[in-house]
Amino acid sequence: TQAQADAKEVAVMLPAAGDPYFKLKSCGYIEEGKKAGYDVKIYDAGGYGNLDKQVSQIQDVIQRKVSAIVLVPASSDGTVPVVEKAIDSGIPVINDGIATHSEKVSGFVGEPSYVMTELLAAYLADKLGGSGEIVMLSGPGGLDLTRFRVDGFKDYLAKYPGMKVVADKFTSTSSADALNTMQDFLQAHPGVKAVYTFNGPIAIGVVQALRAAGKKPGDVLVVTTDMEVETERLIEDGWIQATVVSQPVTMAQLAVRRAIEAAEGKSIPKETLTQASVITQSTVNAVDLSGQECQ
Amino acid sequence: MSASNTNGSRAGAALTGMASRIDPATVGPAAALALMFIVYSVLSPHFLTVQNITNVLVQSAPLMILASGQTFALLMGGLDLSQGSIVSLVSVVTAGVMMHFGLPLGAAAGLGAGIGIGLVNGLLVGRARIQPFIVTLGMLYITAGAAMVVSDGSSIFGLPRPDVDYFFWFGGGFIGPVPVPTLIAVILIAAAHLVLTQTRIGRHVFAIGSNEQVAVMSGIDVGRVKIFIFLVSGGFAAVGGFMLSGRVISGQPLLGAGDILLQSIGAVIIGGTSIFGGQGGVLRTVIGVLVIAFMVNGLNLLAISTFAQQIIVGAIIILSVWVNTLQRRRT
Amino acid sequence: MSASNTNGSRAGAALTGMASRIDPATVGPAAALALMFIVYSVLSPHFLTVQNITNVLVQSAPLMILASGQTFALLMGGLDLSQGSIVSLVSVVTAGVMMHFGLPLGAAAGLGAGIGIGLVNGLLVGRARIQPFIVTLGMLYITAGAAMVVSDGSSIFGLPRPDVDYFFWFGGGFIGPVPVPTLIAVILIAAAHLVLTQTRIGRHVFAIGSNEQVAVMSGIDVGRVKIFIFLVSGGFAAVGGFMLSGRVISGQPLLGAGDILLQSIGAVIIGGTSIFGGQGGVLRTVIGVLVIAFMVNGLNLLAISTFAQQIIVGAIIILSVWVNTLQRRRT
Amino acid sequence: MSDLANPAPTASETVLSIAGLSKAFPGVVALDGVSLDLHPGEVHALLGANGAGKSTLIKIVSGIYRADSGEIRIDGEPVEIRDAQTAQALGISVIYQDLALTPHLSVAENIFLGREFLTPLHMIDWKRTHEEARRLLDRVGIDIPTTTKVRDLGTGQKQLVEIARALGIDARILILDEPTASLSHAETDRLFELVHRLAESGVGMIYVSHRLEEIAPLVDRVTVLRDGRSVGTFPVGELDRRKVVSLITGHEGASTPAHRKRLPGEILLELRGLTRQGEFSDISLDVRRGEVLVLTGLVGAGRTELLETVFGARPADGGEIILSGTPISPASPRDAIGAGIALIPEDRRGRGVSVIMPVFANITLAALGRFARRFRLDLAQEMTHARKMIADLGIRTSSPLAPASSLSGGNQQKVALAKWLSTDAELFLFDEPTQGVDVGAKEEIYRLIDELAANGKAVVVASSDIEEVMEIADRILAVRKGRIVGEFDNRDLKASVVMDAITHGDAK
Ligand SMILES: Nc1ncnc2c1ncn2[C@@H]1O[C@H](COP(=O)(O)OP(=O)(O)OP(=O)(O)O)[C@@H](O)[C@H]1O
Ligand SMILES: Nc1ncnc2c1ncn2[C@@H]1O[C@H](COP(=O)(O)OP(=O)(O)OP(=O)(O)O)[C@@H](O)[C@H]1O
Ligand SMILES: [Mg+2]
Ligand SMILES: [Mg+2]
């Protein structure tokens, strides 16, 4: 019956399950499903680049007649046709984190990506007193997610003529790439004051570069998103100044809950936004991380 | 004379692949395919349904087309590494132009761009005489970069109606029960097969892949043939990219950045076309593509965890070819 | 006679390492490298600094090692597509084991796993006689999947002290002014060069790549040599993966999923080793790696936009090889 | 000076005239001011030692190489032959020495490659292709199916296909570069008839061969090249064998040493009913130490397959191979070599030498053990050995480091011999050892074979060259259609007897 999608199954479609961020969330999906007695199956497109693969996977789970789909789209618009196909065939689709551009989508649970990085920009502006050289390691180029975060950050900085982005590069989310790029940036811009990083793995690469360059914690301000074990450690050690988190696991749980409700014919809110908050060394122990890991 | 006639017909058969006896190279992959069908049908009630088979055929249409083009490159003993990037470029150019000038112009621009890249590949390989691997590796980066620049690194959506609906038609529409993408794929494959087996330039592709020096000595304009080869490979990639974009009704700068290149080359070789050129054909490639497509589809239906999937996929690839090597033992 | 040596050095030098004067195949990439140095030095005051050059050498050490191993595969007329996945697997296995049993065991397990994959490749190619492309394509998926399963898909951080510091030492430490990774790379390259040019099995690698039939008829145990080749290729990839993980003091299941495979193969071919086997060597590969490494470094220093960078990278790759084809425009 | 011998023909009656042609390759001057005239209907022999420049000259005329200097006229008109197309358009057709066929295409396709028959719809006209191919194959007298892939053919068969291909181009100038190198008398006679007929129909032909006995009956004039220079053109009547040899070698040809009688020792190799489906069956024979056994037969007789089977390169279907008393079943050449067997293959470029490897590496490849010190190879010693072999066999190369591809055909063959003479085998199997080898070197190779026998080695030679057979054999086995159809002791034996056996004889 492994094969038989007996009526009680939720399919969670992730663009890159390998990413720590999604690892973090996956337990949220599964546990929430268990609570309601649903079987949760996680599908991985194997990278944001594999939109086509994700579309195929969605078609396949429509075949399986799963009760509901939780979708983190590899592309907001690329997934529209297949999502509408799912909904038309009676399978509710809940977006988690990234929205699919279709009115038909059953519901959206999410973090305001744009706002999140605005918060980081604000933090830096405040720390640097509104002036200083900044470099960005913006994450994988060509993704909607990347785009939102970069825009949020840059648009906010635009308010401060003194704060210049002197170099930015799209890199894979591999720490190794980030490390190499950051070393190069440090060469070209010895005076750099702050670094924006797309996520944890990239931040780690950056920190390694700073270490290699003989910098002390705090010499260069590093900001990132999400909260992983290592990020937390690096914040405590003072290498990373700030990260912005929504509540990935809470989101995951909400998404599955909404999905199940919809599957059972209950009416659900179109949009459920989670709380985004900046975490710094001073708040890292204080802040409520309940949304960060599974009980 | 009778002898010569039988010869003739037998040659015809062998060459056109409509051989009375099946092409030995395809035994392995065909067996793998059959086995998958049996196993999957037993394990999943959803597998052997008209709907699902149709899905897979639609899903795999773009790969069919890319791999058919790729077959030309491999037959001459080369590779086309730029196909993935071409898919991306075609996607964003088509959508970008379509946004303001509608589908016809969008399609023209997109396909034109893809074919253009193919032409550049061809000229660099055929005239500047740089090896295909290097040329297409370079063009892989150049074209991917171009796709990013054109789209400013973000996907292009909100395409105007009604064009967008026609656009989708190419990627997922139907004519009666027949899916459009599959139809297009079949037509292109048939054309490619005809060219390779029945036309002069097609045979010259084999000759070059078989022994380039001899091809030259036989008075074949090798450069011209190579240009043709990369035009086909690039052109087919362009059509595939157009289809994929239609399927997701948007322009995606990363549309071809994923697995698709590896799958395109993999399918050709799994099908039994030699990497060293001179032996193979698009019909073999079709089988290679089917192996890949159904393999993954079945694993999804069985909800095998993605990580485990990768392992199984790898195993199937190796096994499907191993069978062949078992056949030819002797000398 | 003077002329005769140049003639000789073509085939001979690479094979014997007794190149009296420079190896013609490296002229193109070497020129490209020189040109880059000039341009970058002029455009950026930060390029030609001890610090920067050191950085690049450290950054490129893992690629140096991977590409040197890959050279073996290409010299026999094959490919090793599994190198990237091996990097990932080694990364997570090393970190995973290290977490509980410390660095020595971690290293042993990690490198062991990588070499193990190499051995499997070797047996499938050498004994089961499946073509390298298919085998390593399959193992690419299998190994990547294994890395995911082992790490349960998530990066492994928070390695125990003091082990983690030694771990980092391999990836970014110094002995006096000499960076450890570079040192290791140099030693492995020297060893590889010695094996290829001065030993029997090395000669056999060239023989198989030049003409396998002839190699067989000459009584060479082709299977054994192929196993050796993929052991080297896998083993070197393992060391590279170990180093990379050390640099980022963590185990990452996607560490080798990026560009590194394409770069490894690209570097070998840019360096001037033939895809069809039989001609080339690790010294050529070193130049190929330097071209790739400095290319990107310079563009980063100049803060060229990522997208434009891709385009330039592609162009440089093609040009660096084009120069060579210009040389041999005779007969 | 070439014109002292006979009055310079006027443009009108020269279909092809070459003047002052020069070509240098890195390290070698292949051609140095060579001139040559070809009349319509003339068969013009082009002779010279290995590496003299014959093939280079031909490849220039056929547009494969560009001359450094010199002029080519067709019908008195100066022409620039840029590539193979141009050459074909000018009515020049060539039978290349290293058979220019594509392995993966069928015989028919190879015959018409680049000149395909098309239907009105511009599709390939397969029916016509195969019919025409059949007709040409029948003309050269070979009955393989036109659909056979060329890679499945043996060397001799390839040679015949190559000839058929050249005949297919109804050319005014036909160039034959060692067309008979691996043919036996039967196919050769047939070829000669064709040549004569073409000559009558006015085709001018340049004929290259190292089998001097072919010259007299076939050609009208002879041009001899030495080290890339022409040493003159002569009416064939003015020449006898000795004169030709001295012209080619540059010194008075030492008349071939009288065939030494040898004293065979104990039996080294026994074959008992050795069989391989479709190739040869029920082969039984003995070879003694100190003895030279020659297998002769028509092309396709299966000698190559037999030798390769003994060498472990092909699995036997039945029968026994017994080496010095103990049955062996070599599963690979490696095993055979281990047992002390060496095979010098017929297919030079396919199995004998790696053309992209340097000469020295080819020479030492089968005997690397000799040069292995604990971990490393003793390169210096390797070089010394290579230089010695190069000198002994008179291999013409710019350097031991030069790729074998840069050697002339015959010199490549010598490299293959050098490679196996470097091993310390007890049983030597030579398959067409002197194909494409010049007179001087042939004598040298016969001497080496003598020497091997004298040192108590056993030698088996597969040869299609009847002169050679009579020259070196102690015993002769006639092979026909994969069976032994006659055994002869080479004393006061008539060649005709052997020839008759291999063409008509049937298994005892
Ligand atoms: N591609 C090449 N590169 C370098 N040297 C070459 C090349 N081709 C031929 N040569 C040299 O040119 C000389 C003439 O070669 P050619 O093949 O014309 O001799 P040949 O008369 O045909 O000898 P054979 O009787 O053995 O065929 C030889 O010394 C050979 O080494
Ligand atoms: N269609 C075919 N498929 C496979 N092998 C073939 C085919 N046609 C010919 N051969 C092999 O090629 C051989 C012909 O080779 P070649 O012309 O050199 O003669 P040979 O076999 O070497 O015998 P010999 O050495 O006596 O000439 C045949 O004996 C046969 O074994
Ligand atoms: Mg010659
Ligand atoms: Mg033979």
Side-chain angles (χ1 to χ4, degrees), chain B residues 5 7-8 10-11 15 197-200 203-204 206-207 210 214 216-221 278-279 330-331, chain D residues 64 84-85 88 100-105 109 113 116 123-124 126 130-131 134 146-147 151 165 276 315 317:
Chain B
N5 288 340
N7 283 345
R10 175 135 37 74
L15 286 159
T197 56
Q198 302 297 332
T199 69
R200 177 177 279 166
R203 301 315 295 169
H204 289 179
F206 283 85
S210 187
V214 170
V216 173
M217 288 184 170
S218 309
I220 294 174
D221 182 346
Q279 291 168 291
R330 196 156 188 265
T331 88
Chain D
I64 306 231
Q85 286 117 302
Q88 276 186 22
L101 301 168
T102 60
H104 300 309
L105 297 187
E109 282 190 276
L113 187 57
E116 294 79 3
M123 297 287 132
I124 290 183
W126 291 115
H130 285 278
E131 283 170 4
R134 177 81 267 149
T146 56
T147 52
R151 63 153 184 267
R165 170 179 166 78
R276 226 178 103 81
D317 295 332

Side-chain angles (χ1 to χ4, degrees), chain D residues 54-56 97 177-178 208 408-410:
Chain D
K54 305 181 293 295
S55 297
T56 304
Q97 177 181 14
D177 194 354
E178 299 187 37
V208 177
S408 76

Side-chain angles (χ1 to χ4, degrees), chain A:
Chain A
T1 73
Q2 148 85 298
Q4 269 291 8
D6 48 40
K8 289 166 130 345
E9 172 173 333
V10 177
V12 177
M13 329 292 301
L14 303 181
D19 264 26
Y21 174 74
F22 287 113
K23 271 320 288 184
L24 203 60
K25 300 181 66 147
S26 50
C27 64
Y29 294 121
I30 294 165
E31 287 194 354
E32 188 64 23
K34 279 213 204 80
K35 285 199 205 124
Y38 274 71
D39 192 8
V40 174
K41 287 267 167 28
I42 293 186
Y43 292 80
D44 175 18
Y48 284 92
N50 294 348
L51 168 59
D52 176 49
K53 188 170 173 192
Q54 186 173 61
V55 171
S56 299
Q57 286 176 329
I58 298 173
Q59 287 182 329
D60 291 343
V61 298
I62 296 175
Q63 275 304 302
R64 286 175 58 77
K65 306 194 172 48
V66 294
S67 348
I69 296 174
V70 171
L71 170 66
V72 183
S75 156
S76 297
D77 38 276
T79 45
V80 169
V82 68
V83 162
E84 298 187 338
K85 183 177 168 207
I87 290 164
D88 295 344
S89 63
I91 302 177
V93 178
I94 308 294
N95 282 140
D96 175 6
I98 305 172
T100 295
H101 294 130
S102 163
E103 312 73 30
K104 291 194 177 180
V105 176
S106 321
F108 174 83
V109 174
E111 59 191 11
S113 301
Y114 186 90
V115 180
M116 287 174 70
T117 47
E118 270 187 329
L119 291 173
L120 291 177
Y123 172 86
L124 287 180
D126 168 50
K127 274 281 183 188
L128 297 174
S131 75
E133 291 188 340
I134 300 175
V135 298
M136 299 177 68
L137 279 76
S138 312
L143 303 184
D144 297 339
L145 181 58
T146 312
R147 174 66 38 188
F148 296 145
R149 290 189 179 173
V150 169
D151 291 349
F153 190 80
K154 280 189 169 171
D155 293 354
Y156 191 90
L157 282 190
K159 301 192 181 81
Y160 299 84
M163 302 187 68
K164 288 195 185 52
V165 175
V166 289
D168 59 349
K169 183 164 185 177
F170 296 105
T171 65
S172 76
T173 57
S174 133
S175 305
D177 290 356
L179 167 44
N180 293 351
T181 310
M182 188 58 198
Q183 279 192 317
D184 294 346
F185 283 176
L186 281 173
Q187 278 303 308
H189 312 284
V192 62
K193 286 280 180 300
V195 189
Y196 161 87
T197 64
F198 173 78
N199 68 0
I202 293 182
I204 288 149
V206 167
V207 170
Q208 285 302 96
L210 293 175
R211 282 203 179 111
K215 303 273 185 190
K216 299 269 154 301
D219 290 356
V220 177
L221 309 184
V222 179
V223 297
T224 184
T225 68
D226 307 339
M227 185 67 132
E228 296 141 28
V229 193
E230 187 65 4
T231 317
E232 187 171 352
R233 186 194 330 272
L234 288 171
I235 289 178
E236 284 162 352
D237 299 356
W239 281 110
I240 296 179
Q241 274 57 42
T243 183
V244 57
V245 298
S246 58
Q247 292 152 314
V249 178
T250 312
M251 282 164 60
Q253 293 162 334
L254 275 173
V256 172
R257 194 177 311 147
R258 294 273 177 277
I260 293 172
E261 287 166 3
E264 294 171 347
K266 308 204 182 80
S267 76
I268 59 167
K270 260 291 179 203
E271 194 166 74
T272 319
L273 284 192
T274 50
Q275 185 54 39
S277 49
V278 174
I279 297 175
T280 65
Q281 195 168 20
S282 48
T283 60
V284 67
N285 300 314
V287 77
D288 157 36
L289 291 179
S290 61
Q292 288 299 313
E293 58 246 357
C294 302
Q295 289 67 22

